[in-house]
Amino acid sequence: MSNIVFDNVKKSFDSGLQVLRGISLTVDKGESHIILGRSGCGKSVLLKCLLSIFELTDGDIFVDGISVKDKKRRGEYMRKFSILFQGNALFDSMTILENAMFGVKQLGKKNAECKRIAVEKLEAVGLDESVFDLYPAEISGGMQKRAALARAIAIEPEILLFDEPTSGLDPITGGMICNLLRDTVRKLNVTALTITHDLKVAEFLADRASVLNDGNIVWTGHTKDMKNCGNEFVEDFYRASNVILDNKLR
Amino acid sequence: MNPIATLGHYTLETLREIGRVAIFAAKGLKSCFVPPFFWREIFRQIMQIGFYSLPIVGLTAFFAGVVIALQTYVGFTRFNAEGAVATVVLITITRELGPVFAGLMVAGRVSSSIAAELGAMKVSEQIDALMTLRVDPYKFLVAPRIIAGTLMLPILVLICDIIGIMGGFLISVTRLEFSIGTYLAQTMNNFVMMDLVSGLVKAAFFGFTLVVFGCYYGFNSELGARGVGNATTNAVVFACICIFILNSLLTALFFGI
């Protein structure tokens, strides 16, 4: 298990757009933390900064004390993560089994061992061998999400990152995926960081949540305390989420 | 806006873009020599860039040979030099048209497909996924394509040269009343190894160039269908322009003009 520390993280783009304005946050070892916020508030940018896909404009991120800026320890830093992307990001040119094997192969394991691990993880997320030889485009969105999760956990990360894990899924499949994610995090005993705008997902998955607005963390705490936390934006966000949910039910 | 300022702006932007492409090409080239090597990807790209381009390149070469023979015959008849048709076909195909036509056809077919594929991978976060799985996208996506393009273009051009010369030969003996023996003898007698080698070296440069442009524009594709479409167009246009520029430079270099 690992902890993550965001220390005054700022990110601007060449266009001059400042997306993150000084994020400071600690995710403890073994914690399942959610970052909530409206679309376009910088949640995914924060995740990409953590993964060093984007360079920070200022501040630093530490994972178990290793800085995202430490190029000498980049391999050690990156080995701690695995991510379930919003759009799954399965490789189109590979079958489901090859996708699940891909990350394991990079660890230098033999082909038979990679295959054994990949099959084990695919079965653990509820996929059977009828889909192993199919390509991502040939299976449903829910199955793709499961396959992407299998690929993510196959490399035995210490930190699992989930970017909008239920986006694009119907409510039933979304619920099944949420259950699967929660069970996976508990079973693997990993630190988890989830990014979502869906309050129900947050309440279901999180130990603690942080709310991101206008490039800043405006509140951190337990999701059950959101309703009356005293922060106007957070309370509005909570109420709006529930109104939308109520309207959906009607 | 001040026209001089506008001109300056576009000049600087063009130079910046050239710089970015050059850095990308250098990174891609470096990744071809540093392990790990993704052999399966290299083989897949060899098939994609080399083998599957063969029909279209072969067809182009055949008709290029036919047209050169016909045009040369018509033109040279005016000053009784029609006997030089075989030599002209041989030199034109091996030195120029073989590599240039093959380069352009493969640029149209391959640069566009590379840009579209990598652009779509970028949009769907597959390139980010590679990074999170500790795979250098340059080594997995760029290096195999550069290796395949640089190795396969000369082979394609060699085949293209043979087919082009055969095209000229067939039209000459069937329509222009050349005797098979004379035509073949003339072709063999005027064959110079340097002509062939210069064409193959050019092809290697063209292969490298067209792949680099495809990869560069794919990697830097803007998000959305329009972004991928623009990346595809730019890859083909700039690869073709670069092939013509390189062809001029290499011709001057090889033949000391």
Side-chain angles (χ1 to χ4, degrees), chain A residues 48 53 78 81 85 89-92 94 98 102 106-107 155, chain B residues 38 40 44 124-126 128-135 140:
Chain A
K48 288 188 177 177
I53 292 170
M78 290 300 288
F81 296 107
F85 283 94
L90 290 166
F91 303 120
D92 299 326
M94 298 179 197
E98 287 166 344
F102 187 79
Q106 312 316 316
L107 302 174
I155 55 174
Chain B
F38 293 92
R40 198 181 145 192
R44 200 167 75 89
S124 59
E125 297 180 305
Q126 290 176 53
D128 292 343
L130 279 176
M131 289 160 77
T132 63
L133 293 168
R134 273 91 66 188
V135 174
F140 186 70

Side-chain angles (χ1 to χ4, degrees), chain A residues 52-110:
Chain A
S52 73
I53 292 170
F54 290 156
E55 273 187 32
L56 304 185
T57 308
D58 199 8
D60 209 341
I61 301 173
F62 298 94
V63 174
D64 277 349
I66 306 171
S67 165
V68 69
K69 294 176 177 173
D70 188 346
K71 292 204 168 128
K72 285 182 190 160
R73 298 178 76 185
R74 174 61 57 86
E76 193 186 345
Y77 178 92
M78 290 300 288
R79 260 195 299 279
K80 292 180 182 291
F81 296 107
S82 213
I83 179 169
L84 179 62
F85 283 94
Q86 185 172 358
N88 307 320
L90 290 166
F91 303 120
D92 299 326
S93 58
M94 298 179 197
T95 63
I96 296 303
L97 181 62
E98 287 166 344
N99 264 284
M101 286 169 68
F102 187 79
V104 194
K105 272 188 181 173
Q106 312 316 316
L107 302 174
K109 294 196 162 110
K110 292 209 170 126

Side-chain angles (χ1 to χ4, degrees), chain A residues 169-237:
Chain A
L169 299 177
D170 65 80
I172 294 170
T173 311
M176 286 160 70
I177 293 295
C178 270
N179 272 312
L180 180 61
L181 297 185
R182 190 174 64 175
D183 292 347
T184 304
V185 169
R186 283 179 182 168
K187 203 187 290 177
L188 299 179
N189 197 22
V190 292
T191 307
L193 181 63
T194 307
I195 273 175
T196 184
H197 61 267
D198 190 329
L199 190 62
K200 287 290 160 198
V201 172
E203 286 176 332
F204 189 76
L205 288 179
D207 297 324
R208 276 194 316 150
S210 296
V211 179
L212 188 61
N213 183 38
D214 198 22
N216 289 302
I217 298 277
V218 293
W219 178 81
T220 297
H222 290 275
T223 45
K224 62 180 177 355
D225 300 329
M226 274 180 82
K227 191 177 177 183
N228 299 306
C229 70
N231 181 298
E232 195 181 346
F233 174 80
V234 177
E235 288 177 5
D236 282 352
F237 188 88

